Amino acid sequence: MAMAACGKQADPGYRITCTLADGLKADTVKIYAYSEDYGASRLLGSHTVATGDRSFVVDGVTDEPAVAFVRAGSRTAYFILENGDIDMALGNNTVSLRGPRLNAEYYKVFSERCGIMNRRIALRKKYDAMMARGEITDSIDRQFEAAYKITCDSLQRLHARARQLHPVVAKAVWYQYGNEITAP
């Protein structure tokens, strides 16, 4: 006796849902994917933003993961185009991203980098405040220099880890932070 499974199979392809926070000013939202050779980008979808309509969906299929980005007004956010559900929420200074495996890995790298950069900014503010009060000595200056070097080393380790995850994750990190690292 043979049994066949009846049920809805998951649709192949991707579904990108992009939502803009109320404070983000944008007339249009466009989603692009880079070509396989990264020489150009192609438009995946475009949406005119209207009051009360700050979310849109793009469906498609990709044969290979690719670096992609969404542009809303002056805001640009990178992600990995891969088959599966990809949910993005963009704010003026925030991005939330949920998606399949490579997006999850990319977002971990992105979040960790934000933490490192926040530590670097906090160090700079503390140093500047101490400098303004005349509290910087050679010993304190060396401590700040060592703490700054730790953030630089942490970024290098993070970028090295991104290269090991998947070539497209490394490429997405390079597109966003290429001024800090060499091309993958």
Side-chain angles (χ1 to χ4, degrees), residues 33-100:
Y34 282 102
S35 62
E36 197 172 304
D37 66 355
Y38 298 99
S41 59
R42 62 184 161 88
L43 182 65
L44 299 176
S46 179
H47 174 72
T48 301
V49 178
T51 304
D53 184 21
R54 300 184 60 80
S55 183
F56 83 108
V57 175
V58 175
D59 292 311
V61 176
T62 185
D63 295 331
E64 294 288 327
V67 177
F69 61 97
V70 59
R71 185 165 288 144
S74 62
R75 184 83 166 95
T76 301
Y78 288 87
F79 65 100
I80 309 298
L81 179 66
E82 60 182 320
N83 292 324
D85 291 334
I86 301 168
D87 297 312
M88 299 181 71
L90 296 177
N92 284 321
N93 296 313
T94 61
V95 61
S96 170
L97 175 67
R98 287 186 323 210

Side-chain angles (χ1 to χ4, degrees), residues 4-183:
C6 294
K8 186 175 186 318
Q9 295 288 332
D11 292 333
Y14 58 81
R15 171 165 275 195
I16 303 167
T17 303
C18 184
T19 304
L20 303 182
D22 289 335
L24 182 62
K25 295 187 185 328
D27 296 328
T28 61
V29 178
K30 296 180 180 183
I31 298 179
Y32 299 89
Y34 282 102
S35 62
E36 197 172 304
D37 66 355
Y38 298 99
S41 59
R42 62 184 161 88
L43 182 65
L44 299 176
S46 179
H47 174 72
T48 301
V49 178
T51 304
D53 184 21
R54 300 184 60 80
S55 183
F56 83 108
V57 175
V58 175
D59 292 311
V61 176
T62 185
D63 295 331
E64 294 288 327
V67 177
F69 61 97
V70 59
R71 185 165 288 144
S74 62
R75 184 83 166 95
T76 301
Y78 288 87
F79 65 100
I80 309 298
L81 179 66
E82 60 182 320
N83 292 324
D85 291 334
I86 301 168
D87 297 312
M88 299 181 71
L90 296 177
N92 284 321
N93 296 313
T94 61
V95 61
S96 170
L97 175 67
R98 287 186 323 210
R101 184 183 72 82
L102 292 178
N103 275 292
E105 296 294 341
Y106 172 68
Y107 192 68
K108 284 179 195 172
V109 170
F110 178 82
S111 295
E112 189 172 334
R113 184 193 177 279
C114 287
I116 293 168
M117 294 310 290
N118 286 340
R119 284 193 299 278
R120 185 181 278 187
I121 290 166
L123 277 170
R124 184 79 231 176
K125 285 181 180 178
K126 185 175 180 181
Y127 184 88
D128 289 347
M130 289 178 75
M131 180 68 87
R133 294 188 304 264
E135 298 172 352
I136 297 294
T137 63
D138 285 343
S139 173
I140 291 174
D141 195 49
R142 282 191 298 277
Q143 289 172 12
F144 274 104
E145 187 176 308
Y148 184 81
K149 184 179 180 326
I150 289 170
T151 65
C152 293
D153 293 346
S154 296
L155 284 174
Q156 291 305 313
R157 282 191 304 277
L158 181 63
H159 295 149
R161 198 168 74 239
R163 283 191 296 273
Q164 293 173 353
L165 291 171
H166 191 280
V168 77
V169 173
K171 196 61 111 164
V173 170
W174 180 75
Y175 272 115
Q176 196 159 6
Y177 309 116
N179 61 323
E180 299 172 358
I181 56 175
T182 57

